[in-house]
Coordinates of all heavy atoms in Angstrom, one line a residue:
M386 N -17.2 26.4 -45.4 CA -16.5 25.6 -44.5 C -15.0 25.5 -45.0 O -14.7 25.4 -46.2 CB -17.1 24.2 -44.5 CG -16.3 23.2 -43.8 SD -17.1 21.7 -43.3 CE -17.8 22.3 -41.8
H387 N -14.1 25.5 -44.0 CA -12.7 25.4 -44.3 C -12.4 24.0 -44.7 O -13.0 23.0 -44.3 CB -11.9 25.7 -43.0 CG -12.0 27.1 -42.5 ND1 -11.7 28.2 -43.3 CD2 -12.5 27.5 -41.3 CE1 -11.9 29.2 -42.6 NE2 -12.4 28.9 -41.4
N388 N -11.4 23.9 -45.6 CA -10.9 22.5 -45.9 C -10.0 22.0 -44.8 O -9.6 22.7 -43.9 CB -10.2 22.5 -47.3 CG -8.9 23.3 -47.3 OD1 -8.1 23.2 -46.4 ND2 -8.6 23.9 -48.5
R389 N -9.7 20.8 -44.9 CA -8.9 20.1 -43.8 C -7.5 20.8 -43.6 O -7.1 21.0 -42.5 CB -8.7 18.7 -44.2 CG -8.0 17.9 -43.1 CD -8.0 16.4 -43.4 NE -9.3 15.9 -43.4 CZ -9.7 14.8 -43.9 NH1 -8.9 14.0 -44.5 NH2 -11.0 14.4 -43.8
R390 N -6.8 21.2 -44.7 CA -5.5 21.8 -44.5 C -5.7 23.1 -43.8 O -4.8 23.5 -42.9 CB -4.9 22.0 -45.9 CG -3.5 22.7 -45.7 CD -2.7 22.8 -47.0 NE -1.5 23.5 -46.8 CZ -0.4 23.0 -46.4 NH1 -0.3 21.7 -46.2 NH2 0.7 23.7 -46.2
E391 N -6.7 23.9 -44.1 CA -6.9 25.2 -43.4 C -7.1 25.0 -42.0 O -6.6 25.8 -41.1 CB -8.0 26.0 -44.1 CG -7.7 26.6 -45.4 CD -8.9 27.2 -46.1 OE1 -10.0 26.7 -45.9 OE2 -8.7 28.1 -47.0
R392 N -7.9 24.0 -41.6 CA -8.2 23.7 -40.2 C -6.9 23.3 -39.5 O -6.7 23.7 -38.3 CB -9.3 22.7 -40.0 CG -10.6 23.2 -40.4 CD -11.7 22.2 -40.0 NE -11.5 20.8 -40.4 CZ -12.1 20.2 -41.5 NH1 -12.9 20.9 -42.2 NH2 -11.8 19.0 -41.7
I393 N -6.1 22.5 -40.1 CA -4.8 22.1 -39.5 C -3.9 23.3 -39.3 O -3.3 23.5 -38.3 CB -4.1 21.0 -40.4 CG1 -4.9 19.7 -40.3 CG2 -2.7 20.8 -39.9 CD1 -4.5 18.6 -41.2
E394 N -3.8 24.2 -40.3 CA -3.0 25.4 -40.2 C -3.5 26.3 -39.1 O -2.7 26.8 -38.3 CB -3.0 26.2 -41.5 CG -2.3 25.5 -42.7 CD -0.8 25.5 -42.6 OE1 -0.2 26.3 -41.8 OE2 -0.2 24.7 -43.3
E395 N -4.8 26.4 -38.9 CA -5.3 27.2 -37.8 C -5.0 26.6 -36.5 O -4.6 27.3 -35.5 CB -6.9 27.3 -37.9 CG -7.4 28.2 -39.0 CD -8.9 28.2 -39.2 OE1 -9.6 27.4 -38.5 OE2 -9.3 28.8 -40.1
M396 N -5.0 25.3 -36.4 CA -4.7 24.6 -35.1 C -3.2 24.8 -34.8 O -2.8 25.0 -33.7 CB -5.1 23.1 -35.1 CG -4.8 22.4 -33.8 SD -5.5 23.1 -32.4 CE -7.2 22.6 -32.6
L397 N -2.4 24.6 -35.8 CA -0.9 24.8 -35.6 C -0.6 26.2 -35.2 O 0.3 26.5 -34.3 CB -0.2 24.4 -36.9 CG -0.1 22.9 -37.2 CD1 0.5 22.7 -38.6 CD2 0.6 22.1 -36.1
D398 N -1.3 27.2 -35.7 CA -1.1 28.6 -35.3 C -1.5 28.8 -33.9 O -0.8 29.4 -33.1 CB -1.9 29.5 -36.2 CG -1.8 31.0 -35.8 OD1 -0.6 31.4 -35.8 OD2 -2.8 31.7 -35.6
R399 N -2.6 28.2 -33.5 CA -3.1 28.3 -32.1 C -2.0 27.6 -31.1 O -1.7 28.1 -30.1 CB -4.4 27.6 -31.9 CG -5.6 28.4 -32.3 CD -6.9 27.8 -31.9 NE -8.0 28.6 -32.4 CZ -8.7 28.3 -33.5 NH1 -8.4 27.2 -34.2 NH2 -9.7 29.0 -33.8
L400 N -1.5 26.5 -31.6 CA -0.5 25.7 -30.8 C 0.7 26.6 -30.6 O 1.3 26.7 -29.5 CB -0.2 24.4 -31.4 CG 0.7 23.5 -30.7 CD1 0.2 23.2 -29.3 CD2 0.9 22.2 -31.5
Q401 N 1.2 27.2 -31.7 CA 2.4 28.0 -31.6 C 2.2 29.2 -30.7 O 3.0 29.6 -29.9 CB 2.7 28.5 -33.0 CG 4.0 29.3 -33.0 CD 4.4 29.7 -34.5 OE1 3.5 29.9 -35.4 NE2 5.7 29.9 -34.7
R402 N 1.0 29.8 -30.7 CA 0.7 30.9 -29.8 C 0.6 30.4 -28.4 O 1.0 31.1 -27.4 CB -0.6 31.6 -30.3 CG -0.3 32.3 -31.6 CD -1.5 32.9 -32.2 NE -1.9 34.1 -31.5 CZ -3.0 34.8 -31.7 NH1 -3.9 34.4 -32.6 NH2 -3.3 35.9 -31.0
A403 N 0.0 29.2 -28.2 CA -0.1 28.6 -26.8 C 1.3 28.4 -26.2 O 1.6 28.8 -25.1 CB -0.8 27.3 -26.9
E404 N 2.3 28.0 -27.0 CA 3.6 27.8 -26.6 C 4.2 29.1 -26.2 O 5.0 29.2 -25.2 CB 4.5 27.1 -27.7 CG 4.1 25.7 -27.9 CD 4.8 25.0 -29.1 OE1 5.2 25.8 -30.0 OE2 4.9 23.8 -29.1
G405 N 3.9 30.2 -26.9 CA 4.4 31.5 -26.6 C 3.9 32.0 -25.2 O 4.6 32.6 -24.5
Y406 N 2.6 31.7 -24.9 CA 2.1 32.0 -23.6 C 2.8 31.3 -22.5 O 3.2 31.9 -21.5 CB 0.6 31.6 -23.5 CG -0.4 32.6 -24.1 CD1 -1.1 32.2 -25.3 CD2 -0.6 33.8 -23.5 CE1 -1.9 33.1 -25.9 CE2 -1.5 34.7 -24.1 CZ -2.2 34.3 -25.3 OH -3.1 35.2 -25.9
L407 N 3.2 30.1 -22.7 CA 3.9 29.3 -21.7 C 5.3 29.9 -21.5 O 5.8 30.2 -20.4 CB 4.1 27.9 -22.1 CG 2.9 26.9 -21.8 CD1 3.2 25.5 -22.3 CD2 2.6 26.9 -20.3
Q408 N 6.0 30.2 -22.6 CA 7.4 30.7 -22.6 C 7.4 32.1 -21.9 O 8.4 32.5 -21.3 CB 8.0 30.7 -24.0 CG 8.2 29.4 -24.5 CD 8.7 29.4 -26.0 OE1 8.7 30.4 -26.6 NE2 9.0 28.2 -26.5
A409 N 6.3 32.9 -22.1 CA 6.3 34.2 -21.5 C 5.8 34.2 -20.1 O 5.7 35.3 -19.5 CB 5.3 35.1 -22.4
G410 N 5.5 33.0 -19.5 CA 5.0 33.0 -18.1 C 3.6 33.5 -17.9 O 3.3 34.1 -16.9
K411 N 2.7 33.3 -18.9 CA 1.4 33.9 -18.8 C 0.3 32.9 -18.4 O -0.9 33.2 -18.4 CB 1.0 34.5 -20.2 CG 1.9 35.7 -20.6 CD 1.4 36.3 -21.9 CE 2.2 37.6 -22.1 NZ 1.7 38.4 -23.2
V412 N 0.7 31.7 -18.0 CA -0.2 30.7 -17.6 C 0.0 30.5 -16.1 O 1.1 30.2 -15.6 CB 0.0 29.4 -18.3 CG1 -1.0 28.3 -17.8 CG2 -0.1 29.6 -19.8
H413 N -1.1 30.7 -15.3 CA -1.0 30.7 -13.8 C -2.1 29.8 -13.2 O -3.3 30.0 -13.6 CB -1.1 32.1 -13.2 CG -0.2 33.1 -13.8 ND1 1.1 33.1 -13.5 CD2 -0.4 34.0 -14.8 CE1 1.7 34.1 -14.2 NE2 0.9 34.6 -15.0
R414 N -1.7 28.9 -12.4 CA -2.7 28.0 -11.7 C -3.5 28.8 -10.7 O -3.0 29.8 -10.1 CB -2.0 26.9 -10.9 CG -1.4 25.9 -11.8 CD -0.9 24.7 -11.0 NE -0.3 23.7 -11.8 CZ -0.9 22.8 -12.5 NH1 -2.2 22.7 -12.4 NH2 -0.3 21.9 -13.2
V415 N -4.7 28.4 -10.5 CA -5.6 29.0 -9.4 C -5.4 28.1 -8.2 O -5.7 26.9 -8.3 CB -7.1 29.0 -9.8 CG1 -7.9 29.5 -8.7 CG2 -7.2 30.0 -11.0
E416 N -4.9 28.6 -7.1 CA -4.6 27.9 -5.9 C -5.8 27.1 -5.4 O -6.9 27.7 -5.3 CB -4.0 28.8 -4.8 CG -3.4 28.1 -3.7 CD -2.7 29.0 -2.7 OE1 -2.3 30.0 -3.1 OE2 -2.6 28.6 -1.5
G417 N -5.6 25.9 -5.1 CA -6.7 25.0 -4.6 C -7.6 24.4 -5.7 O -8.4 23.6 -5.3
L418 N -7.4 24.8 -6.9 CA -8.1 24.2 -8.0 C -7.1 23.7 -9.0 O -6.7 24.4 -9.9 CB -9.1 25.3 -8.6 CG -10.1 25.9 -7.7 CD1 -10.8 27.0 -8.4 CD2 -11.1 24.8 -7.2
P419 N -6.8 22.4 -8.9 CA -5.6 21.8 -9.7 C -5.7 22.0 -11.2 O -4.7 22.0 -11.8 CB -5.6 20.4 -9.3 CG -6.9 20.1 -8.6 CD -7.5 21.4 -8.1
Q420 N -6.9 22.0 -11.8 CA -6.9 22.1 -13.2 C -7.6 23.4 -13.7 O -8.2 23.4 -14.8 CB -7.6 20.9 -13.8 CG -6.8 19.6 -13.6 CD -7.5 18.4 -14.2 OE1 -8.5 18.0 -13.8 NE2 -6.8 17.8 -15.2
V421 N -7.5 24.4 -12.9 CA -8.1 25.7 -13.3 C -6.9 26.8 -13.3 O -6.1 26.8 -12.4 CB -9.2 26.2 -12.2 CG1 -9.7 27.6 -12.6 CG2 -10.3 25.2 -12.2
Y422 N -6.9 27.6 -14.4 CA -5.9 28.5 -14.6 C -6.4 29.9 -15.0 O -7.5 30.0 -15.4 CB -5.0 28.0 -15.8 CG -4.5 26.7 -15.7 CD1 -5.2 25.5 -16.0 CD2 -3.2 26.5 -15.3 CE1 -4.7 24.3 -15.8 CE2 -2.6 25.2 -15.1 CZ -3.4 24.1 -15.4 OH -2.9 22.9 -15.2
V423 N -5.5 30.9 -14.8 CA -5.8 32.2 -15.3 C -4.7 32.4 -16.4 O -3.5 32.1 -16.1 CB -5.7 33.3 -14.3 CG1 -5.7 34.7 -14.9 CG2 -6.8 33.2 -13.3
V424 N -5.1 32.7 -17.6 CA -4.1 33.0 -18.7 C -4.2 34.4 -19.0 O -5.3 35.0 -19.3 CB -4.4 32.1 -19.9 CG1 -3.4 32.4 -21.0 CG2 -4.4 30.6 -19.5
V425 N -3.0 35.1 -19.1 CA -3.0 36.5 -19.4 C -2.8 36.6 -20.9 O -1.8 36.3 -21.5 CB -1.8 37.2 -18.7 CG1 -1.7 38.7 -19.0 CG2 -1.8 36.9 -17.2
G426 N -3.9 37.1 -21.5 CA -3.9 37.4 -23.0 C -4.2 38.8 -23.1 O -3.7 39.7 -22.4
S427 N -5.0 39.2 -24.1 CA -5.4 40.6 -24.3 C -6.3 41.0 -23.1 O -6.4 42.2 -22.8 CB -6.2 40.8 -25.6 OG -7.3 39.9 -25.6
E428 N -6.8 40.0 -22.4 CA -7.5 40.1 -21.1 C -7.1 38.9 -20.3 O -6.3 38.1 -20.7 CB -9.1 40.1 -21.3 CG -9.6 41.3 -22.2 CD -11.1 41.2 -22.3 OE1 -11.8 40.6 -21.5 OE2 -11.6 41.8 -23.3
L429 N -7.7 38.8 -19.0 CA -7.4 37.7 -18.2 C -8.5 36.6 -18.6 O -9.7 37.0 -18.6 CB -7.5 38.0 -16.7 CG -6.5 39.0 -16.2 CD1 -6.7 39.2 -14.7 CD2 -5.1 38.4 -16.4
Y430 N -8.1 35.4 -18.8 CA -9.1 34.4 -19.2 C -9.0 33.3 -18.2 O -7.9 32.8 -17.8 CB -8.8 33.8 -20.6 CG -8.9 34.9 -21.7 CD1 -7.8 35.4 -22.3 CD2 -10.2 35.4 -22.0 CE1 -8.0 36.4 -23.3 CE2 -10.3 36.4 -22.9 CZ -9.2 36.9 -23.5 OH -9.4 37.9 -24.5
L431 N -10.1 32.8 -17.8 CA -10.2 31.6 -16.8 C -10.4 30.4 -17.7 O -11.3 30.3 -18.5 CB -11.5 31.8 -15.9 CG -11.6 30.9 -14.8 CD1 -10.4 31.0 -13.8 CD2 -12.9 31.2 -14.0
V432 N -9.5 29.4 -17.4 CA -9.5 28.1 -18.1 C -9.7 27.0 -17.2 O -9.0 26.9 -16.1 CB -8.2 28.0 -18.9 CG1 -8.1 26.7 -19.6 CG2 -7.9 29.1 -19.8
D433 N -10.6 26.1 -17.5 CA -10.8 24.8 -16.8 C -10.3 23.7 -17.7 O -11.1 23.3 -18.7 CB -12.3 24.6 -16.4 CG -12.6 23.3 -15.8 OD1 -11.7 22.5 -15.6 OD2 -13.8 23.0 -15.5
S434 N -9.1 23.2 -17.5 CA -8.6 22.2 -18.5 C -9.3 20.9 -18.4 O -9.4 20.2 -19.4 CB -7.1 22.0 -18.2 OG -6.8 21.5 -17.0
A435 N -9.8 20.5 -17.2 CA -10.6 19.3 -17.0 C -11.8 19.3 -17.9 O -12.2 18.3 -18.5 CB -10.9 19.0 -15.6
G436 N -12.5 20.4 -17.9 CA -13.8 20.5 -18.6 C -13.6 21.0 -20.1 O -14.5 21.1 -20.8
G437 N -12.3 21.4 -20.4 CA -12.0 21.9 -21.7 C -12.7 23.2 -22.0 O -13.1 23.5 -23.1
E438 N -12.8 24.1 -21.0 CA -13.5 25.4 -21.2 C -12.6 26.6 -20.9 O -11.6 26.5 -20.1 CB -14.6 25.4 -20.2 CG -15.7 24.3 -20.4 CD -16.7 24.3 -19.3 OE1 -16.8 25.2 -18.5 OE2 -17.5 23.4 -19.3
C439 N -12.8 27.7 -21.6 CA -12.1 28.9 -21.5 C -13.1 30.0 -21.6 O -14.1 29.9 -22.3 CB -11.0 29.0 -22.5 SG -10.1 30.6 -22.4
S440 N -12.9 31.1 -20.9 CA -13.8 32.3 -21.0 C -13.6 33.2 -22.2 O -14.2 34.2 -22.3 CB -13.7 33.1 -19.7 OG -12.4 33.6 -19.5
C441 N -12.6 32.9 -23.1 CA -12.3 33.7 -24.2 C -13.4 33.6 -25.3 O -14.1 32.6 -25.4 CB -10.9 33.4 -24.8 SG -10.8 31.9 -25.8
P442 N -13.4 34.6 -26.2 CA -14.4 34.6 -27.3 C -14.2 33.4 -28.3 O -15.1 32.8 -28.8 CB -14.2 35.9 -28.0 CG -13.5 36.8 -27.0 CD -12.7 35.9 -26.1
D443 N -12.9 33.0 -28.5 CA -12.6 31.9 -29.5 C -13.2 30.6 -28.9 O -13.8 29.9 -29.7 CB -11.1 31.8 -29.7 CG -10.8 31.1 -30.9 OD1 -11.5 31.2 -31.9 OD2 -9.7 30.4 -30.9
A444 N -13.1 30.4 -27.6 CA -13.7 29.1 -27.1 C -15.2 29.2 -27.1 O -15.8 28.1 -27.3 CB -13.2 29.0 -25.6
K445 N -15.8 30.3 -26.9 CA -17.2 30.4 -27.0 C -17.8 30.1 -28.4 O -18.9 29.8 -28.5 CB -17.7 31.8 -26.5 CG -17.5 32.0 -25.0 CD -17.8 33.4 -24.5 CE -17.5 33.4 -23.0 NZ -17.6 34.8 -22.5
K446 N -16.9 30.2 -29.4 CA -17.3 29.9 -30.7 C -17.1 28.4 -31.0 O -17.4 27.9 -32.1 CB -16.5 30.6 -31.8 CG -16.7 32.1 -31.8 CD -15.8 32.8 -32.7 CE -15.9 34.3 -32.7 NZ -14.9 35.0 -33.5
G447 N -16.6 27.6 -30.0 CA -16.5 26.2 -30.1 C -15.1 25.7 -30.5 O -14.9 24.6 -30.8
H448 N -14.1 26.7 -30.5 CA -12.7 26.3 -30.9 C -11.9 25.9 -29.7 O -12.2 26.2 -28.6 CB -12.0 27.5 -31.6 CG -12.7 28.0 -32.8 ND1 -12.7 27.4 -34.0 CD2 -13.4 29.2 -33.0 CE1 -13.4 28.1 -34.9 NE2 -13.8 29.2 -34.3
A449 N -10.9 25.0 -30.0 CA -9.9 24.7 -29.0 C -9.0 25.9 -29.0 O -8.1 26.0 -29.8 CB -9.2 23.4 -29.4
C450 N -9.2 26.8 -28.0 CA -8.4 28.1 -28.0 C -7.0 27.9 -27.5 O -6.6 26.9 -26.9 CB -9.1 29.1 -27.1 SG -9.1 28.7 -25.4
K451 N -6.2 28.9 -27.8 CA -4.8 28.9 -27.5 C -4.6 28.9 -25.9 O -3.6 28.3 -25.4 CB -4.0 30.0 -28.1 CG -4.6 31.4 -27.7 CD -4.0 32.5 -28.6 CE -4.6 33.8 -28.4 NZ -5.8 34.0 -29.2
H452 N -5.5 29.4 -25.2 CA -5.4 29.5 -23.7 C -5.5 28.1 -23.2 O -4.7 27.7 -22.3 CB -6.5 30.4 -23.2 CG -6.5 31.7 -23.9 ND1 -7.5 32.1 -24.7 CD2 -5.7 32.8 -23.9 CE1 -7.3 33.3 -25.2 NE2 -6.2 33.7 -24.7
L453 N -6.5 27.3 -23.6 CA -6.7 26.0 -23.2 C -5.5 25.1 -23.6 O -5.0 24.3 -22.8 CB -8.0 25.4 -23.8 CG -8.3 23.9 -23.5 CD1 -8.4 23.7 -22.0 CD2 -9.6 23.5 -24.2
L454 N -5.1 25.3 -24.8 CA -3.9 24.5 -25.3 C -2.7 24.8 -24.4 O -1.9 23.9 -24.1 CB -3.6 24.9 -26.8 CG -4.6 24.4 -27.8 CD1 -4.3 25.0 -29.2 CD2 -4.5 22.9 -27.9
A455 N -2.5 26.0 -24.0 CA -1.3 26.4 -23.2 C -1.4 25.7 -21.9 O -0.4 25.1 -21.4 CB -1.3 27.9 -23.0
C456 N -2.6 25.6 -21.3 CA -2.8 24.9 -20.0 C -2.5 23.4 -20.1 O -1.8 22.8 -19.3 CB -4.2 25.1 -19.4 SG -4.5 26.9 -19.0
I457 N -3.0 22.8 -21.2 CA -2.8 21.4 -21.4 C -1.3 21.1 -21.7 O -0.7 20.1 -21.2 CB -3.7 20.9 -22.6 CG1 -5.1 20.9 -22.1 CG2 -3.3 19.5 -23.0 CD1 -6.1 20.7 -23.2
L458 N -0.6 22.0 -22.4 CA 0.8 21.8 -22.6 C 1.6 21.9 -21.3 O 2.5 21.1 -21.1 CB 1.3 22.9 -23.6 CG 1.0 22.8 -25.1 CD1 1.4 24.0 -25.8 CD2 1.6 21.5 -25.7
L459 N 1.2 22.8 -20.4 CA 1.8 22.9 -19.1 C 1.6 21.6 -18.3 O 2.6 21.1 -17.8 CB 1.3 24.1 -18.3 CG 1.8 24.2 -16.9 CD1 3.3 24.4 -16.9 CD2 1.1 25.4 -16.2
E460 N 0.4 21.1 -18.3 CA 0.1 19.8 -17.6 C 0.9 18.7 -18.1 O 1.5 17.9 -17.4 CB -1.4 19.5 -17.7 CG -2.2 20.5 -16.9 CD -3.7 20.3 -17.1 OE1 -4.1 19.5 -17.9 OE2 -4.5 20.9 -16.3
R461 N 1.0 18.6 -19.4 CA 1.8 17.5 -20.1 C 3.3 17.6 -19.7 O 3.9 16.6 -19.4 CB 1.6 17.5 -21.6 CG 0.2 17.1 -21.9 CD 0.0 17.0 -23.4 NE 0.6 15.7 -23.9 CZ 0.7 15.4 -25.1 NH1 0.1 16.1 -26.1 NH2 1.2 14.2 -25.5
A462 N 3.8 18.8 -19.7 CA 5.2 19.0 -19.4 C 5.5 18.7 -18.0 O 6.5 18.0 -17.7 CB 5.6 20.5 -19.7
E463 N 4.6 19.0 -17.1 CA 4.7 18.6 -15.7 C 4.7 17.1 -15.5 O 5.4 16.6 -14.6 CB 3.7 19.3 -14.8 CG 3.9 20.8 -14.7 CD 2.8 21.6 -14.0 OE1 1.7 21.0 -13.8 OE2 3.0 22.7 -13.6
Q464 N 3.8 16.4 -16.2 CA 3.7 15.0 -16.1 C 5.0 14.3 -16.6 O 5.4 13.3 -16.0 CB 2.5 14.5 -16.9 CG 1.2 14.8 -16.3 CD 0.0 14.5 -17.2 OE1 0.2 14.0 -18.3 NE2 -1.2 14.7 -16.7
K465 N 5.6 14.9 -17.6 CA 6.8 14.3 -18.1 C 8.1 14.6 -17.3 O 9.1 13.9 -17.4 CB 7.0 14.7 -19.6 CG 6.0 14.2 -20.5 CD 6.3 14.6 -21.9 CE 5.2 14.1 -22.9 NZ 5.5 14.5 -24.2
A466 N 8.1 15.7 -16.6 CA 9.2 16.1 -15.8 C 9.5 15.2 -14.6 O 8.5 14.8 -14.0 CB 9.0 17.6 -15.3
P467 N 10.7 14.9 -14.3 CA 11.0 14.1 -13.1 C 10.5 14.9 -11.9 O 10.5 16.1 -11.8 CB 12.6 14.1 -13.1 CG 13.0 14.4 -14.5 CD 11.9 15.3 -15.1
K468 N 9.9 14.1 -11.0 CA 9.2 14.7 -9.8 C 10.1 15.6 -9.0 O 9.7 16.7 -8.6 CB 8.7 13.6 -8.9 CG 7.5 12.9 -9.5 CD 6.9 11.9 -8.6 CE 5.8 11.2 -9.3 NZ 4.8 10.7 -8.5
Q469 N 11.4 15.3 -8.9 CA 12.3 16.2 -8.1 C 12.6 17.5 -8.8 O 13.0 18.5 -8.1 CB 13.6 15.5 -7.7 CG 14.5 15.1 -8.9 CD 14.2 13.7 -9.4 OE1 13.1 13.2 -9.3 NE2 15.2 13.1 -10.0
L470 N 12.3 17.6 -10.1 CA 12.6 18.9 -10.8 C 11.3 19.7 -11.0 O 11.4 20.8 -11.6 CB 13.2 18.5 -12.2 CG 14.6 17.9 -12.1 CD1 15.1 17.6 -13.5 CD2 15.6 18.7 -11.4
R471 N 10.2 19.2 -10.6 CA 9.0 20.0 -10.8 C 9.0 21.2 -10.0 O 9.3 21.2 -8.8 CB 7.7 19.1 -10.5 CG 7.5 18.0 -11.5 CD 6.2 17.3 -11.2 NE 6.1 16.2 -12.1 CZ 5.2 15.3 -12.1 NH1 4.3 15.4 -11.1 NH2 5.2 14.3 -12.9
I472 N 8.5 22.3 -10.6 CA 8.5 23.6 -9.9 C 7.1 24.1 -10.0 O 6.4 24.1 -11.0 CB 9.4 24.6 -10.6 CG1 10.9 24.1 -10.6 CG2 9.3 26.0 -10.0 CD1 11.8 24.9 -11.5
A473 N 6.6 24.6 -8.8 CA 5.2 25.2 -8.8 C 5.2 26.5 -9.6 O 6.1 27.3 -9.4 CB 4.8 25.4 -7.4
V474 N 4.2 26.7 -10.4 CA 4.0 27.9 -11.1 C 3.0 28.8 -10.5 O 2.0 28.4 -10.0 CB 3.6 27.6 -12.6 CG1 3.4 28.8 -13.4 CG2 4.6 26.7 -13.3

């Protein structure tokens, strides 16, 4: 079992990679499904942010994957942005 510091380091690495997905424009909403996304990684991954699910192997192991983190970061950024400046992705 990993110690607490190793788990935190792993999560920070995932978070950094999630931010990279956002900056690279790899997170796309599925039209008509407000909390469902396609994230372009090594493959296309389907993410349901409401259910906290992703189709990637990391999520299937029970981890909070970078794809899910990227979608949640996008949602939080949109909530914080002034309504008149929000842009559909």
Side-chain angles (χ1 to χ4, degrees):
M386 169 161 277
H387 296 300
N388 68 37
R389 186 172 293 162
R390 180 173 176 91
E391 288 172 333
R392 289 192 311 258
I393 290 170
E394 291 288 341
E395 288 174 2
M396 182 57 74
L397 290 173
D398 182 53
R399 283 190 182 99
L400 183 58
Q401 184 176 26
R402 293 175 72 187
E404 290 171 336
Y406 279 109
L407 279 179
Q408 292 171 358
K411 295 184 174 190
V412 180
H413 307 279
R414 289 187 181 278
V415 174
E416 191 171 335
L418 300 171
Q420 291 181 298
V421 178
Y422 302 83
V423 171
V424 179
V425 181
S427 57
E428 296 181 23
L429 297 179
Y430 298 108
L431 189 62
V432 179
D433 173 1
S434 66
E438 299 174 6
C439 179
S440 63
C441 78
D443 201 32
K445 289 178 182 167
K446 294 176 186 174
H448 300 288
C450 70
K451 59 191 173 276
H452 312 107
L453 176 59
L454 289 170
C456 296
I457 293 170
L458 287 172
L459 176 60
E460 291 173 352
R461 291 183 77 180
E463 289 176 346
Q464 289 172 355
K465 290 180 181 180
K468 291 185 184 207
Q469 64 270 26
L470 295 179
R471 289 187 185 171
I472 299 171
V474 178

